[in-house]
Amino acid sequence: MSSIHLKASFDDRAEWSNGIFENSLYFMFSIHPKKGERYYQEGAPVSVEINNKSYKIPTKFRKYTGTPEKAIAKIVTWIDKAQSEIEQQR
């Protein structure tokens, strides 16, 4: 199946407790062909969803299906919003 997984953290690696990724302010996104399709076709819609995130990140993400450009824009918007909320908490 064609899919892309994005794993990132808002913390520097040196700040991770015991050097474990999941002990940081992490998140994991998945971008894959829309439901029921096995492979991505040029110009076809994709689905993007957050697979996992730290419980300390209050920002929610709603699954989205649309063009790849809009899907990436949704991820960027979520990252910006989550980062600002985390900074407010600190």
Side-chain angles (χ1 to χ4, degrees):
M1 173 182 265
S2 58
S3 62
I4 297 171
H5 297 276
L6 171 69
K7 291 173 65 172
S9 175
F10 289 111
D11 296 331
D12 290 330
R13 187 174 206 148
E15 296 175 13
W16 298 357
S17 177
N18 298 322
I20 299 172
F21 175 70
E22 287 80 5
N23 288 344
S24 69
L25 292 172
Y26 74 98
F27 57 90
M28 293 186 244
F29 277 99
S30 174
I31 302 172
H32 49 85
K34 70 178 186 176
K35 187 175 181 180
E37 306 227 357
R38 188 160 174 86
Y39 298 102
Y40 174 72
Q41 301 291 327
E42 185 71 32
V46 296
S47 293
V48 61
E49 59 187 310
I50 194 160
N51 294 352
N52 203 349
K53 69 178 180 75
S54 171
Y55 71 93
K56 295 177 183 175
I57 300 174
T59 313
K60 305 262 190 234
F61 184 86
R62 187 174 174 97
K63 184 177 177 180
Y64 174 77
T65 301
T67 65
E69 293 80 15
K70 280 188 132 179
I72 292 169
K74 292 271 186 184
I75 293 172
V76 171
T77 301
W78 182 87
I79 290 172
D80 291 340
K81 184 177 178 186
Q83 192 166 22
S84 69
E85 287 182 3
I86 289 168
E87 288 173 3
Q88 287 176 1
Q89 287 179 349
R90 291 183 179 174

